């Protein structure tokens, strides 16, 4: 049998280093699946296919695989609805700057333009999310450069790309491009360049930072591989350091000057530091909320980012350094003068120490039945070395951001720019394919669990025996409430909880896990929570740890504005369904700041 176009595609992807493809089959992409099947017999072309329960989850897996491995993530789907289902996960990759290639089927070339079944204008549909490169193949000789360009552009621009393959083309014999006018002859290979600012710009940045007396740093995902450099610069400047959500694993939380997360899900030390600093150094972060950064004119700013388009858009920076975070910080360090007055950092360290005590007190406040903060608090000291932690969007992200203490060597991520629900379990599955020898923990709200994460437990049940380390824990915060939005209704809109939109069914998640062959653990007593975590993390197969949590423990912002307080009062005046529980839960959390350890 001669090599088909699909055989060539699989071979070419293997040459590019692709070893995993996440997706779901369908007749529009059958040719490529046939080639994947044939390639399994040969080590030189074998690519592992991971079957998700839904194409959206496959795209989330590809995005997360890129995050956790640092390599290209690849997802595949059939034409029509298969292709359209990929969109949300691809937007996650786009907004978090991850290299992902989507391979999608299309109807036969002769049928295009005839309103054929499952015929969509896929080039137009993918044009926004895969705007870096999207192309539809029309001939066998074209496929080589489509693959090469799509992969290279995805890696170089750290963005999703898409290739659309008509189903009849997939089965045609492959033809190399002829040596003739009007053809392209592409090749395999990409190495990221060394991107560095000019010396004069480094000098300008150093002048700003050396002049500052109270330097604050904010780091994001761009600093994940610059931990030593961030620590060296922070020590030289006697700076405190806040972390954007995607940069949570860039610095360990046991450093006394690390103030933790910033923003609505952030900490009081991060907020106070930003309001009081006179100089801001931002490294590899697209943190979006300007109200949590210094007031314009109150501080001077320096930013380091690999993408010039992301500089000076959150805060008016005096110097923007376009370059790799680690390389740029290393070049900047010799230009920085040590700060002699340590009062600024000492104040930050005191605030951080007090804050951890506040969180301890808040986590141990009584609740009905379990305080959700306690779930993350009890996990922190039990986290295995080199653990990978994923979080879903929703109120569980608050406890992930604030209460979970990351140690060096750990990795953590979530859907950042898109902040999509339903990403935690596919992220965790992708982490297992990026690092099958590392333990993985996913923190998930019950809303996201019902939306699509439950189905992906079936994926875990299908594949877990192939993982070198079987430790895989999905912790479900079961509070029967779409909790983050409930509190947003109260605090932002001044409305009481809307039962029709917010109340969700009580589902036995742990029993569902047992039904599909996993381990299920149910906890509704705070006294049993620590031992439940220990049991889950010692299990020799994946676990669903279901914790019955109290929806009336508020995910408090680090700074409560007068308007937020007014809105909360207004919501209660309008008659909240659980007014007494809301008042008691909020009061306990607020009073813990004033009277630590008191009920």
């Amino acid at each position: 049998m001669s090599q088909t176009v699909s055989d060539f595609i699989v071979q070419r992807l293997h040459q590019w280093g692709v070893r995993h493809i996440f997706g779901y089959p369908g007749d529009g992409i059958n040719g490529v699946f046939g080639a994947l099947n044939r390639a399994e017999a040969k080590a030189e072309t074998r690519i592992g296919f991971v079957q998700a329960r839904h194409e959206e989850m496959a795209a989330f897996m590809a995005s997360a695989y890129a995050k956790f491995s640092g390599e290209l993530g690849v997802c595949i789907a059939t034409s029509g609805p298969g292709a359209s289902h990929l969109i949300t996960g691809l937007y996650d990759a786009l907004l978090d700057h991850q290299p992902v290639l989507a391979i999608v089927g299309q109807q036969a070339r002769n049928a295009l333009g005839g309103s054929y079944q499952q015929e969509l204008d896929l080039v137009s549909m993918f044009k926004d999310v895969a705007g870096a490169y999207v192309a539809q193949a029309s001939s066998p000789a074209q496929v080589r450069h489509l693959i090469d360009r799509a992969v290279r552009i995805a890696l170089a621009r750290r963005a999703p790309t898409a290739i659309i393959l008509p189903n009849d083309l997939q089965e045609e014999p492959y033809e190399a491009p002829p040596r003739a006018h009007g053809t392209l002859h592409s090749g395999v290979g990409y190495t990221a360049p060394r991107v560095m600012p000019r010396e004069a710009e480094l000098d300008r940045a150093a002048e700003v930072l050396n002049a500052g007396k109270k330097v604050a740093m904010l780091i994001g995902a761009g600093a994940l591989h610059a931990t030593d450099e961030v620590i060296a610069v922070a020590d030289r400047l006697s700076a405190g350091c806040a972390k954007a959500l995607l940069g949570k694993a860039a610095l360990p939380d046991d450093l006394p000057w690390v103030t933790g997360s910033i923003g609505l899900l952030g900490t009081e030390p991060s907020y106070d530091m930003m309001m009081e600093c006179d100089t801001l150094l931002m490294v590899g972060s697209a943190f979006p909320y300007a109200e949590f950064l210094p007031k314009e004119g109150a501080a001077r700013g320096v930013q380091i980012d690999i993408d010039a388009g992301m500089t000076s858009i959150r805060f008016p920076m005096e110097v923007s350094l376009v370059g790799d975070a680690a390389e740029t910080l290393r070049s900047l360090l010799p230009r920085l003068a040590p700060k002699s007055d340590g009062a600024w950092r000492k104040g930050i360290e005191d605030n951080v120490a007090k804050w951890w005590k506040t969180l301890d007190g808040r986590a141990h406040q009584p609740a009905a039945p379990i305080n959700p903060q306690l779930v993350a608090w009890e996990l922190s000291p039990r986290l295995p070395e080199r653990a990978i932690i994923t979080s879903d969007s929703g109120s569980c992200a608050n406890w992930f951001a604030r209460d979970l203490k990351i140690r060096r060597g750990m990795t953590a991520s979530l859907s950042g720019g898109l902040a999509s629900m339903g990403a935690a379990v596919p992220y965790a599955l992708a982490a297992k394919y990026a690092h099958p020898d590392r333990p993985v923990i996913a923190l998930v709200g019950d809303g996201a669990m019902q939306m699509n994460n439950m189905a992906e437990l079936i994926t875990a049940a299908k594949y877990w025996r192939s993982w070198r380390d079987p430790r895989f824990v999905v912790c479900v915060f079961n509070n029967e409430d779409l909790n983050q939005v409930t509190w947003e209704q109260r605090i932002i809109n001044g409305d009481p909880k809307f039962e029709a939109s917010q109340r969700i069914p009580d589902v036995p998640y742990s029993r569902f896990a047992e039904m599909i062959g996993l381990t299920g653990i149910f906890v509704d007593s705070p006294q049993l929570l620590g031992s439940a975590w220990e049991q889950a993390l010692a299990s020799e197969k994946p676990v669903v740890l279901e914790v019955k949590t109290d929806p009336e423990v508020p995910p408090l912002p680090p700074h409560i504005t007068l308007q937020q307080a007014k809105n909360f009062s207004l919501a209660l005046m309008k008659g909240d369904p659980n007014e007494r529980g809301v008042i008691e839960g909020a009061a306990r959390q607020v009073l813990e700041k004033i009277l630590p350890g008191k009920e």
Side-chain angles (χ1 to χ4, degrees):
M1 179 180 176
S2 62
Q3 186 185 44
T4 68
V5 166
S6 294
D7 290 322
F8 173 80
I9 289 170
V10 173
Q11 175 187 310
R12 199 68 165 184
L13 289 172
H14 192 278
Q15 290 172 347
W16 272 102
V18 174
R19 297 296 181 268
H20 300 288
I21 296 180
F22 306 92
Y24 203 82
D27 62 353
I29 198 70
N30 274 350
V32 177
F33 274 87
L36 285 168
N37 190 17
R38 290 188 291 274
E40 275 199 342
K42 305 173 185 177
E44 65 270 20
T45 57
R46 186 184 304 128
I47 297 177
F49 174 69
V50 181
Q51 180 199 70
R53 302 308 101 204
H54 190 281
E55 294 90 350
E56 179 184 330
M57 301 294 97
F60 273 126
M61 291 178 195
S63 177
Y65 182 83
K67 286 185 178 184
F68 292 127
S69 71
E71 301 171 358
L72 179 75
V74 182
C75 55
I76 189 169
T78 189
S79 53
S84 64
H85 285 159
L86 292 175
I87 294 292
T88 299
L90 292 177
Y91 270 113
D92 182 64
L94 177 69
L95 296 185
D96 284 355
H97 308 283
Q98 297 303 316
V100 171
L101 169 62
I103 300 172
V104 296
Q106 178 59 291
Q107 293 306 313
R109 288 165 290 177
N110 286 340
L112 295 179
S115 295
Y116 203 77
Q117 185 187 37
Q118 290 194 342
E119 180 195 351
L120 302 176
D121 183 354
L122 296 182
V123 173
S124 296
M125 188 177 80
F126 282 100
K127 198 64 180 178
D128 183 49
V129 71
Y133 187 77
V134 54
Q136 180 167 301
S138 58
S139 71
Q142 181 191 15
V143 170
R144 178 169 130 188
H145 74 255
L146 295 188
I147 293 288
D148 292 344
R149 292 204 73 207
V151 173
R152 187 175 288 109
I153 289 171
L155 292 169
R157 300 189 188 178
R158 301 196 60 80
T161 58
I163 298 174
I164 300 157
L165 301 170
N167 56 30
D168 60 322
L169 176 65
Q170 298 168 34
E171 301 283 12
E172 286 196 4
Y174 174 69
E175 300 172 8
R179 184 173 174 80
H181 186 70
T183 63
L184 297 174
H185 299 259
S186 58
V188 171
Y190 171 77
T191 301
R194 182 173 186 253
V195 182
M196 281 288 296
R198 294 180 183 274
E199 297 289 321
E201 293 304 294
L202 289 166
D203 291 339
R204 287 184 61 221
E207 288 175 9
V208 173
L209 296 170
N210 286 333
K213 298 186 182 301
K214 297 184 290 184
V215 181
M217 294 177 65
L218 169 59
I219 62 171
L224 285 172
H225 302 292
T227 301
D228 289 332
E229 291 80 5
V230 169
I231 291 172
V233 168
D235 283 341
R236 184 70 57 87
L237 296 173
S238 289
C241 192
K243 301 187 286 186
L245 264 181
L246 291 176
K248 184 172 177 66
L251 278 179
D253 287 309
D254 53 12
L255 294 172
W257 44 267
V258 173
T259 61
S261 296
I262 189 172
L264 292 167
L265 280 59
T267 71
E268 286 186 14
S270 291
Y271 182 85
D272 292 343
M273 179 178 68
M274 289 297 166
M275 295 304 106
E276 297 168 10
C277 72
D278 62 17
T279 309
L280 171 64
L281 172 58
M282 186 184 294
V283 183
S285 175
F287 175 72
Y289 303 121
E291 67 270 28
F292 291 96
L293 297 177
K295 293 180 181 178
E296 188 170 345
R300 304 174 74 183
V302 174
Q303 184 174 0
I304 300 171
D305 204 287
I306 196 82
D307 182 356
M310 298 306 297
T311 58
S312 205
I313 61 171
R314 310 304 190 201
F315 183 84
M317 296 295 174
E318 191 168 334
V319 183
S320 294
L321 301 176
V322 178
D324 172 80
E327 294 263 15
T328 304
L329 289 170
R330 278 198 294 270
S331 296
L332 188 60
L333 184 62
R335 294 170 162 86
L336 301 177
K339 304 288 184 188
S340 57
D341 182 6
W344 166 246
R345 179 177 274 198
K346 179 64 167 59
I348 291 170
E349 291 179 351
D350 289 345
N351 285 344
V352 170
K354 292 175 185 175
W355 175 249
W356 284 119
K357 290 179 181 178
T358 296
L359 287 182
D360 187 359
R362 287 182 178 179
H364 288 89
Q365 285 296 318
I370 294 178
N371 187 326
Q373 294 164 109
L374 190 63
V375 180
W377 191 262
E378 290 287 351
L379 170 61
S380 286
R382 296 174 171 85
L383 278 171
E385 296 301 316
R386 301 177 66 244
I388 301 174
I389 307 100
T390 71
S391 173
D392 222 288
S393 296
S395 60
C396 67
N398 288 271
W399 322 130
F400 163 82
R402 292 187 192 140
D403 294 85
L404 198 68
K405 292 184 178 180
I406 291 288
R407 301 194 305 275
R408 187 145 190 169
M410 296 179 180
T411 306
S413 196
L414 75 174
S415 176
L418 190 63
S420 175
M421 288 178 65
V425 174
Y427 262 48
L429 287 163
K432 271 299 186 185
Y433 285 94
H435 302 285
D437 60 334
R438 295 174 65 173
V440 176
I441 301 112
L443 304 178
V444 193
D446 51 356
M449 206 66 193
Q450 292 181 21
M451 181 179 284
N452 46 30
N453 278 298
M454 281 185 76
E456 291 310 317
L457 292 177
I458 300 171
T459 306
K462 178 176 180 178
Y463 291 112
W464 72 267
R465 291 172 182 83
S466 66
W467 302 335
R468 290 201 292 275
D469 185 330
R471 288 177 292 177
F472 184 90
V473 181
V474 176
C475 177
V476 184
F477 294 71
N478 181 355
N479 58 20
E480 302 175 49
D481 183 46
L482 298 176
N483 199 236
Q484 186 77 8
V485 174
T486 292
W487 282 98
E488 287 170 349
Q489 288 175 346
R490 291 165 174 160
I491 302 298
I492 298 175
N493 302 101
D495 289 327
K497 174 181 175 179
F498 181 33
E499 286 277 293
S501 73
Q502 300 311 107
R503 182 85 173 181
I504 61 174
D506 184 11
V507 174
Y509 307 99
S510 55
R511 285 164 51 196
F512 175 78
E514 293 172 346
M515 187 177 70
I516 61 172
L518 307 180
T519 297
I521 302 173
F522 178 79
V523 184
D524 60 0
S525 167
Q527 289 75 28
L528 299 177
L529 188 55
S531 60
W533 270 120
E534 291 168 4
Q535 180 185 349
L537 291 167
S539 176
E540 295 184 353
K541 65 179 177 179
V543 174
V544 172
L545 172 61
E546 179 186 354
V547 184
K548 198 68 179 175
T549 56
D550 188 345
E552 305 309 346
V553 175
L556 293 175
H559 174 71
I560 300 173
T561 66
L562 179 60
Q563 187 59 53
Q564 289 169 337
K566 288 180 178 178
N567 289 343
F568 183 51
S569 300
L570 186 60
L572 295 177
M573 288 172 60
K574 293 177 180 176
D576 200 272
N578 186 17
E579 184 174 322
R580 180 176 177 180
V582 172
I583 294 172
E584 290 179 352
R588 287 191 184 110
Q589 295 299 305
V590 173
L591 288 175
E592 181 56 41
K593 176 73 167 63
I594 304 168
L595 303 169
K598 303 294 183 182
E599 295 183 10

